[in-house]
Each structure stands twice: as C-alpha cells, then as structure tokens.
Amino acid sequence: MSPRIHLPSGLVTFVFTDIEGSTRLAQLLGPEYRPVLREHRRLLRHTIAATEGAELLTEGDSFFLAFDDATAALTACLTAQRALASHEWPTADAMPRVRMGLHTGWAEPRDGEYVSPEVHRAARVAAAAHGGQVLCSASTARHVQPLPPGASLIDLGLHRLRGFDDRERLYQLVAPGLERQFPRPRTADATAHNLPTPVTSFVGRHAERAELKRLVQAHRLVTVLGAGGAGKTRLAVELAVDLVESHPDGVWFVDVAAVTDPGLVAFEVAAVLGLRPEPGRPMVDTLVEYAAARRMLVLLDTCDAQPAASADVISRLLAGGVGVRVLATSRESFGLPGEVVWRIPSLSVDPPADGAESDAVALLLDRTAAARGGRAPDPAESADLRRVVRRLDGLPLAIELAAARLRVLSVGQLAERLDDVLGTLDAGREDPDPPPVEPGRPADRQDTVDLVAAAVGMAPPSPAVRGVQRSATERHLTMQATVTWSYRTLGPRAARLLRWLAVFAGPVDLAAVEWLLGDDPLDPLSVLVDKSMVLAEPHASGSTYRMLDPIRAYAARRLVEAGEEKSARNRHVAWSTHALERAHLGPDGRPVTLSLYALDPLAGELRAALRWCATGGSARAGLRLAGGLDQWWRERGLAREGRLWLFRLYGRIAETGERIPEAELAAAYHMHSLHAGADGEFGEELRYSQRAEAAARQAGDAGLLARVLAGRAAPLVDMGQFAEAERICREVIDWASGQEVLGDALFGVLSLAELLWRRDALQEAAELLGAARPVEAARPVERGRRSVDMLLGMVALARGDLVAAHEHLQVALRSRMSHGFHGRACDTLNAMAVRCAAGGDGLTAARLFGAAGATRAKMRCTPGIYGGYWAQRQEELRRELGDAAFDGAYGEGTELGLEEAAALALAVEHPDLAVGSARFGAGHARVAPRQPVTPDLRRHHTGHA
C-alpha cells in the first residue's frame, strides 16, 4: 500500500471482496483468465476511486478496503456489483461472481495497517456471502444513512461467524440490478449436521481424502471398506465435514453399531433426522418420503453390524430421491447396484520424496507427544518409530494404542516387544466381556437409543442390553476386541482358514493357501476378503493375500486355542521346504542356475518356519531349511543370523533328543563353519570344520566328504596359514579324484587357485582354473557365481593383461549381479577398480573402491584372502591421485548403491576401444590370441611343485 493513501480512523467500515470459485474459473478459462481478472480489478478500482475508499490490500482476486463512511462503502459495493453484472465479458461463463462483505467498527491504523478484531469480523461476513451477493453486519446496517436510492437491506437473521463465539445478525443488500435469491449464508451453523466432534487431530491421508471426495461427488453410494481399526470412521467424518456446504439439507451421521435389531436401522436413521413414527405406516416409508425432495448426505457408520438391514435402507433411500447420497463404512460390501467400494489403505509407512515423515510416523509422533504431556519423541528415536509403524502395518488404531504404551516405554523398548502385538498394545486394558442378552440378539450387536425403542413399543433396554450398547465404543479399546468383532461373524471354514493363514509371515498366492489346507480355499478365502480380514492384492501374475500384523497375531492366538498350531505350522514348514526346492528348479522341473533373488521373497516365510522348527517343530526340518538359505545368508551379509539359527536348532536337538543322520549333521556343521568364517569368528570356523569332517566320515558319503574336506582350507587361510592351506587343497583334490567325486571338491580347487594367485604361481593357477570351468558350469548351485572367471580375471591383472582381466571380470560381475551374489560382487567391484587404475582411470577406480568398501561394511563381511591386496592397491592409487582427489572420489563411491556401482563398473570401456590401444593403434601388430588351456585337474595333487 502506498504511504500517501489516507487511512480512516475511528468508526471505519471495512469491505472484503473476492471471486467465488476463482480456482474453477481459472481452470475453465486457462490463459483467458488473466484478462478477466485484470478487468475485474479495473472495475473495482474505478468504483473505489469514485467513493474515496482506501485500498489496503489486493491479493489474487481479493480486495481489502476501508471507508470512513458506511453509506459510501455500501454504495461502492452496489456500484461495483452493477458494473460487474453489466460489463461485456468474453462469454457468459467468464463473468466473475464476486462476493462482498461489510462490517463497521472502531479501529485505528498503525504503520499503514489495521490490527483489530473488526477486520476479522468483516472478513468472516464476506466469507459467508455467495457470488454476486453483498452482506453486511448489523453495525454497518445501523450506520448506513441514508441507503442508496432504490436499495434496501433484508434481515437474514442471526448467524455464527467462523472463529467468533457470539452470533452476528446479517443483512443482504437488495437493489435493482442485483440478484436477490441466494442459498443461506455460509456460516458455522448454516447447514444442519450432527457430525461428531473429534477430540484428537486428524493426521495425514491427504491423497486418500481427495480420492474419496471425488468418488462421493461422482457416485451416490460409496462404501469405505477396511479392517477394524483401519480408520474408516475417522476419514469418513473428516470428509463429511468438507461436504457440509455442498449438501444444503444436511450431512447426517448414523452409527449402525448402536442397533441390535435389523428392524431398527430405519428407526435409527429417522431419529437422527428428527422424524417420528406415523401410525400405520412403515418407518422406512416415512424416511424415504422425507428424503425424496432433499439434497443431503447420510453417513452410515459400521454397517457390518447390520449389513442386510443397512443395505435395504440404503437401496430404498437411493431409489426414493435423486438428491440423497450415502457414504457408508463397513468391513464388508453390500453388493448393491451402483455401489462403489473403496478400500481404505493402511497409513503409509514409507516417507515421501520431499523428506517429510510418513503418515504413520506422523500419527505416532502426534499421539506420543499427547501421551507424554506434550513432549515429542527424541530425534534419536526416529529409526525405532519407523520400526514400530512397519511392525503395526500402518494400522491407525494399533498406532494409537502403541502411543499410549509410550507413556511408560521408550520407542525402542516398544519396538522390541512387538513380537507379541496384542499383548503389548492391549496391556492394562481389559477386553469387555459381552453380558448375556435376550435370545435372538447377537452378543456383538448393540441396542439403539431409548427413543427409538419406545417408538416401536419396546421396553427400555435392560442393564444387559446397555452393556451391549457400551461395547459399541469398547470394541475399539483393544485390538483383541476390534478383531473379535469381525471374527464372530465367520463361519467354521472361514474361521479355520483365518487361523491357519496366521502361520504365513507375508503375502501368499492361491496355490500356497491350497497347499496349506489341502483343499479348495476359494469360498472361505472370499469371505475373509469380503470382511476385510484378509487383503487381496492383484498382480499381473495373479492375486496374493495377506493379513495385517495385528489380525495375524489374533488369528495365531485362536490357532493355539483351537489346538491346531502344531498341524498348521508343520504344514507351513513342509510348504516352505517345497518352495525352497522350487526356487532351484525351472518350469520343467529341471535344475536351473541358482538365483538368490528367488529366495528374497521367501525369506520371511523361511524365517517363520525356522522359528517353529527351533521352538516347537522338527530340528531336522529346520536344518534342511537352513541349508537352503546357506548362500543367501552369506551373500546378503547375514552370516551371523545363519549362525544364530543353527545354534537354536542345535539347542532344539538337545531338548528333544531328535535323531539327525550324520550326513545331515555334517552338512550343517560345514555350513556353520563357512558362516563363522564370513562373520570373522575364525576359532568357531575351525571347530565346526573339524566337526563336519568327523560327521562326514561317519556318514560314508564320498561326495559329502569331498565337500567338507574342500572347506578345510578356509579356516587356515583366515588364520594366515597359507602353506598348510595349500597342502590341504592338494590332498583333497588328489583324494576326490581317486574317489571320482572331483566335482564335489570344486571349493578346494578354487581355494587352491586363490593361494596360487597369492604367491604368483600364475601359470599353474590359470591351468587349474581352465580345467575347473566345465566343472563349475555343470553345477547349477555354483555356476551363477562365476568364480572361475573372477579368479582368471585376478590372474590376468597380476600378469598385466588388461584385456583378459576386463573380459573375465565383466562376465563375473554381470553374472553375480544377475543372480544375486552381492557379497561376491563386492570382490569383483574391487577387482574392476584395480583394472581401472591399471588402465589409467584412477577416479573411477577410487569410486569403485568406495562403493565396494561401503557395501561390504554394511554387510559386515570379512575381506578374505584379497583384503591385503585391495588395501595395497588403494594405497598406490592414493599416492597417484593425491589425498584430496582420492578421498573425494572414494566418498562419491560410498554414496552409490550396489546396483549403481555395478552399472558404473560394467560401463567401463573395453581396453581395446581406449585411445592409444595397442591392438588397433596405427603401426602396431595385433596381439596374438591367447591359446586355450585345458589341463587335467588331477595333475594338481599333493606332490605337484
């Protein structure tokens, strides 16, 4: 505002104006909106100049004006509305509909502005107006003397302005050239509704709220479907608040959970609308007649309490009047024509791209602060907050209950206790036991209000029935009560399926459910999906099914109570074993190259099966599962987890005395030795290697003994006894050759090649590896690792042959990444870094070293036999680049994920394509091709020099 403008003081009349629906108008007109807005401003400013008003603020399509005379202010508004109405706009749709509000009160300007509640009151008066309408307060009406010629003020009565406790009498300016008919003012009490007032803030769900609003505006019946505690009611009420102004005859909330008799659903709706029964006439007819001519929204909550009766009332209401819309919440759909079913998702647990907290974490933060007297959780608890909401599957009720536990627990303590979800969340809360009710009244239903009961000639509810009424609220006091509400409605087959599905840790497909039950589960599964107790998630390859964690915990309790846990979990172990076997086979049932990516989606199920084997099932079955996870654990940096599972299974064997065949014990001990070495426990590695050898000799299986003996060198290498390790490898190769199980000794062959590389016996190493290539290629479990190519690449690097090194290492890296061997891929990244350094690309080499080091650190893997070599090459590179350049590039590499680092390495140019390549350079002869070497592995025995 210009400082030269005179601002009135004392008794000031304030005017606010803006364009109603300006956003829609801008979207409609597009580029043509700007000239319309400019013309609107010109007309208003011309009016202001003619009446000597002061323009304080113009922002977007709104004006804020001050007048020292109420009559002048009202005259300005009248003149402006007439000017807008008579102006020739580009089209009829382009005419801006401007609403105006006036209020007169005492105010003094300070520093070019007014700080007074009278300004806010004027703004609220304007907000109550409709486009083309001029409203003023009683104060302005008193001070307008005289009125403009031909004008009058119509008393619209008392209204409560938003943000003000008192009621304001509003007047509408009526004059020739102005519209006269408008809906009731948009004030806080303008439109009737009975929506419950929430006692807590509404957090998140912006996208869901917008999506649901679009559906309700486009369809007459929308059902919000979801499990108990998913937040259906809260979201529906929050949305209904937004829709109050678009339904002039009201938005009405009806809690069907308060109804115990199907015949009383219509009475409950009628009672909310203020209707009373008419003699000799069905209540639903009275209800339909009342609603027929009205534009209103009925929010029917918890319709699963009386699904059939609710569906009947809804269909009658929708058929009786086109202005009626129904928004329903339920755990199952109605199946009515025109019904749009919208499943409410759990709160998002993943943070958005803008770096804000996820909705689930935001809710937990808000409720935790309330539970702790306004103190927000410490920022150090952020990781544990995310653990909690993930464990609770983003279920709002579970999060609310978890926040209450945080009065006495830290977030970390709560996260550790959530293995028992129901016990932790419901601690200190007693599940209400429903009291006995009259025959014919289900215990999970409640009676409606006394007025409705009296209206149909029933006696007031008894104390027992009142207890049922209380359970309408108490069903959300505990997770147990919430899920029980739905469980009681299940038939025997659906209830049994729900219990048995609790053994699965995550989503499963229909074939898995069939395997579990040994029967066609489609009918009971459909019931569980319809009742929102199981979530169906469609995919191109077929639907999968999962339960939210709190529901799974409830079903697991019921499984134990029904005496079915042992049968169900043993069946799940059998399924897990079958799934593990299938991961090693192709569609034709023949073995394929093992991809650890095939095990990633099975990890949760296999852990659940292992947990049962270690606590209540067969340890022998658990050892078989552990064997299937051997490479996955090590290549994912989870060797410690593998060791812990094995220890638990050994404890189960000692507890039950279960007999385990020596061959299976040998395989387990051998696996344990490899895991201990990967985890840096070298003494444990040697101990279990010796146990594995003893058990394998007892078993009498030559192939198994070859595999175990081939692993004997690993602990020796880890302890620095390289000469002894080489001697052992040669002995194993010689023995396995004599037993015709040389393929089972492949690990020993590769270990020997590493040891030969280490002491620069490169020719022998190359010959050994050349002979090992067909052996590796014939073994599906090993060939995806491409260990032969990796070692040939290392030999080529030692020889200074960049072409061979590049080709072998690229093959190894591509295969290892394609088949999920992440730990081994780190070694190949380091080798590619050495190749880049040798080829003159030091910065790329430093980045690859950084990426490999960061990934290996995350996976807590030991560097193995190559550790000293990598460290030496990094030091050489640091001297070559300088500390600053090396550290900068290395730091960039640590920010790369494994996939990004592998892509960087695979993009390295072939040495033959580099500038100055000897192979294609002018005047240079081509390098003679390397002759293939096909030696016999049996030559590399103990006495070979």
Side-chain angles (χ1 to χ4, degrees), residues 493-547:
R493 291 187 69 206
R496 178 175 180 267
L497 177 57
L498 183 77
R499 295 192 299 269
W500 280 55
L501 285 177
V503 301
F504 286 112
V508 290
D509 58 16
L510 188 61
V513 182
E514 288 175 333
W515 174 281
L516 182 72
L517 287 185
D519 189 13
D520 182 4
L522 191 56
D523 287 344
L525 185 59
S526 299
V527 171
L528 295 178
V529 171
D530 289 342
K531 291 183 177 291
S532 305
M533 301 197 79
V534 169
L535 302 179
E537 299 172 332
H539 306 280
S541 58
S543 293
T544 57
Y545 308 91
R546 72 180 182 95
M547 286 191 290

Side-chain angles (χ1 to χ4, degrees), residues 346-351 358-361 386 389-390 392-395:
S346 296
L347 290 172
S348 61
V349 297
D350 296 318
S358 66
D359 285 352
V361 172
R386 296 187 183 95
V389 298
R390 286 185 183 279
L392 299 178
D393 271 324
L395 196 66

